Amino acid sequence: MIDPKIIPERKLPSYGFHNHTENLNGCWAMIGFIALVIVEFKLGHGILIR
């Protein structure tokens, strides 16, 4: 098999569903969920229920 002399570089698009944006979104979602659990634990009840 003949290999190409120049290998093209792949540029990541700036929008849409991609691994780096999905990983970042997942990290922020986990941080938000843990923060919500901590706040509810400190208050002794849910945020929306009094």
Side-chain angles (χ1 to χ4, degrees):
M1 182 181 285
I2 301 173
D3 291 330
K5 294 180 182 177
I6 300 173
I7 299 174
E9 292 183 20
R10 181 176 178 217
K11 295 181 181 177
L12 292 175
S14 59
Y15 59 91
F17 296 103
H18 300 285
N19 287 339
H20 62 283
T21 55
E22 291 297 318
N23 287 337
L24 183 63
N25 188 26
C27 289
W28 282 111
M30 288 185 283
I31 291 169
F33 181 75
I34 296 299
L36 180 65
V37 169
I38 291 171
V39 167
E40 288 185 353
F41 180 74
K42 292 283 187 179
L43 291 177
H45 58 80
I47 295 290
L48 300 176
I49 302 171
R50 289 186 167 235

